[in-house]
Amino acid sequence: MSQHTTTFTPATAADADLYYYVLRQADTAMVLCQRLCEWVAKGPELEEDIALTNIGLDLIGQARSLYQYAAECSGQPITDDDLVFQRNERQWVNCLLVEQPNGNFADTIVRQYFFDAWHKAFLTQLTTSKDETLAAVAAKSVKESAYHLRHSSSWVERLGAGTELSNERAQKAVDDLWAFTYELLTPDELDERMQVRGVGADLVAIRADWERSVHQHLTRSELAVPSEVFPATGGRNGVHSQHMGYLLAEMQILARSMPGCEW
Amino acid sequence: MNPTNDYSMWEVFIRSRRGLDHKHVGSLRAPDAEMAIQNARDLYTRRSEGVSIWVVPSQQIVASTPGEKEPLFDPADDKIYRHPTFYELPAELEHM
């Protein structure tokens, strides 16, 4: 991961692989939480407003545990807040899917569904990780993730098999977001090294399960599975889509313009 | 599943502990029964308030009308033998 030449490059980390592996998970949860929080007071119904932000709250809880662990692994005197508020776009290593804009409700739900279907399988595998902290965080998070998946998959079905308009919007969301699922499901060198160590998840196995269950669910929801598209990847190595800078600007402005502020 | 555009009202009942009754806690809106359960979970059980959730379509509730209050409820008041006030309850009996 030599492309990370920043203050947060853990030159002193005993285990840079572990640091980045944890950071990727933390960033992914954090960015998705930020997106879900954008729905506050804008949900299609009060009940859904609360449901989406509850999911966001679960994710920020997971992110916090992971950032604290990443800070520990970094070998530097940094905190979870430093990692969230003081890194620039190229230093963020979340996957591209979660930074995609909320769009309409169908866009948000389909993004969430693709993520949840992956996340639950990923966390299930990490519960048996040889890394005790990752295993403990996963054991706590996997129950939350199961509920998130129940929520998003229920909505995919209702939108897909609902009205003509809801089907059209859900299908467009599926088509638009499909390219971003490759990054979740395709191991790179870091994933492979972590898997060999018995710390990381087996993305190849997850991919097979994900494809089977997502294909089934889309079909049941009267949505077409997109044909092969060119994969959009890069977020996990710090190369983001045009939306990421705006997201970070909004998320970080307070902490950066008023260093050390409390409320 | 029966797809619908209808976001209707549901009444929510939560049982907070085993051995207790389900208690009415409020209402919510949802497109169908399954989503009503999920919404109830988010709205009413996020702080471990419950072990069981019931949702009932509000339309299905048949209610007494305030105008019927006297014929329905007044006759009980002047017959003290209807009220179990002559027994001493053991202290261990918590939920009577």
Side-chain angles (χ1 to χ4, degrees):
Chain A
M1 305 289 289
S2 56
Q3 65 268 43
H4 293 275
T5 51
T6 68
T7 39
F8 290 107
T9 302
T12 51
D15 189 345
D17 272 4
L18 181 61
Y19 170 77
Y20 278 112
Y21 196 71
V22 175
L23 199 59
R24 281 177 170 182
Q25 295 173 50
D27 284 354
T28 294
M30 188 67 217
V31 168
L32 186 54
C33 168
Q34 177 71 13
R35 279 288 184 232
L36 290 173
C37 290
E38 292 171 14
W39 276 105
V40 170
K42 294 181 194 160
E45 288 287 336
L46 175 65
E47 286 77 2
E48 198 49 38
D49 202 288
I50 292 170
L52 290 175
T53 37
N54 269 337
I55 293 170
L57 271 179
D58 286 344
L59 290 172
I60 204 173
Q62 298 173 14
R64 182 154 212 177
S65 305
L66 291 164
Y67 279 125
Q68 284 165 350
Y69 189 40
E72 207 178 293
C73 295
S74 73
Q76 296 179 30
I78 54 172
T79 65
D80 46 357
D81 276 355
D82 294 330
L83 286 167
V84 172
F85 294 121
Q86 303 302 331
R87 280 179 307 148
N88 295 329
E89 182 177 331
R90 285 298 297 268
Q91 298 164 300
W92 280 73
V93 288
N94 54 283
C95 60
L96 293 176
L97 176 70
V98 295
E99 72 196 47
Q100 297 313 301
N102 284 342
N104 60 39
F105 184 60
D107 294 321
T108 292
I109 286 298
V110 169
R111 181 186 66 200
Q112 192 68 34
Y113 172 62
F114 287 164
F115 174 78
D116 292 338
W118 168 81
H119 197 211
K120 181 169 170 247
F122 181 80
L123 291 172
T124 303
Q125 284 212 5
L126 282 199
T127 56
T128 56
S129 169
K130 280 184 184 164
D131 184 287
E132 285 178 12
T133 307
L134 274 182
V137 174
K140 185 168 176 291
S141 310
V142 73
K143 284 174 265 177
E144 297 170 342
S145 175
Y147 177 74
H148 302 167
L149 178 60
R150 183 176 162 182
H151 185 81
S152 59
S153 63
S154 300
W155 267 119
V156 165
E157 194 180 352
R158 279 154 184 79
L159 295 173
T163 65
E164 202 177 315
L165 180 62
S166 71
N167 175 275
E168 188 185 304
R169 289 190 176 171
Q171 184 66 58
K172 180 155 192 325
V174 168
D175 295 344
D176 289 347
L177 293 168
W178 194 252
F180 298 106
T181 61
Y182 286 81
E183 194 176 32
L184 293 174
L185 300 163
T186 311
D188 66 1
E189 288 176 7
L190 177 58
D191 291 311
E192 282 163 4
R193 288 198 299 272
M194 296 309 277
Q195 191 200 336
V196 167
R197 283 169 56 176
V199 171
D202 176 2
L203 288 182
V204 175
I206 289 174
R207 172 174 207 139
D209 288 346
W210 188 94
E211 284 181 342
R212 192 174 50 248
S213 68
V214 169
H215 287 202
Q216 273 177 8
H217 190 64
L218 290 182
T219 307
R220 182 165 55 232
S221 309
E222 299 171 30
L223 294 166
V225 178
S227 47
E228 292 293 304
V229 293
F230 190 78
T233 60
R236 300 196 310 151
N237 290 316
V239 183
H240 293 278
S241 59
Q242 69 270 33
H243 312 293
M244 185 66 177
Y246 297 98
L247 181 146
L248 289 180
E250 187 171 41
M251 189 172 81
Q252 295 179 334
I253 177 126
L254 187 66
R256 288 198 181 202
S257 54
M258 304 185 75
C261 67
E262 288 182 27
W263 66 89
Chain B
M1 198 194 76
N2 182 20
T4 161
N5 244 341
D6 182 30
Y7 239 84
S8 53
M9 290 290 291
W10 298 75
E11 300 301 320
V12 182
F13 299 82
I14 304 282
R15 183 165 67 178
S16 55
R17 281 199 283 133
R18 284 192 192 289
L20 295 188
D21 296 333
H22 285 75
K23 288 264 189 315
H24 186 243
V25 293
S27 55
L28 53 77
R29 281 151 60 80
D32 54 51
E34 191 192 331
M35 296 305 290
I37 289 275
Q38 292 187 26
N39 288 345
R41 179 264 193 194
D42 278 332
L43 285 163
Y44 295 110
T45 70
R46 284 285 290 180
R47 292 164 197 86
S48 41
E49 291 94 336
V51 294
S52 166
I53 303 172
W54 287 351
V55 290
V56 178
S58 304
Q59 287 179 337
Q60 300 292 322
I61 303 276
V62 181
S64 60
T65 57
E68 290 177 305
K69 186 167 172 278
E70 290 188 356
L72 280 176
F73 305 117
D74 272 4
D77 283 347
D78 57 359
K79 302 181 183 68
I80 54 167
Y81 49 85
R82 288 189 175 176
H83 302 276
T85 51
F86 302 102
Y87 303 94
E88 300 230 345
L89 291 179
E92 305 84 61
L93 203 57
E94 288 176 22
H95 304 295
M96 189 68 192

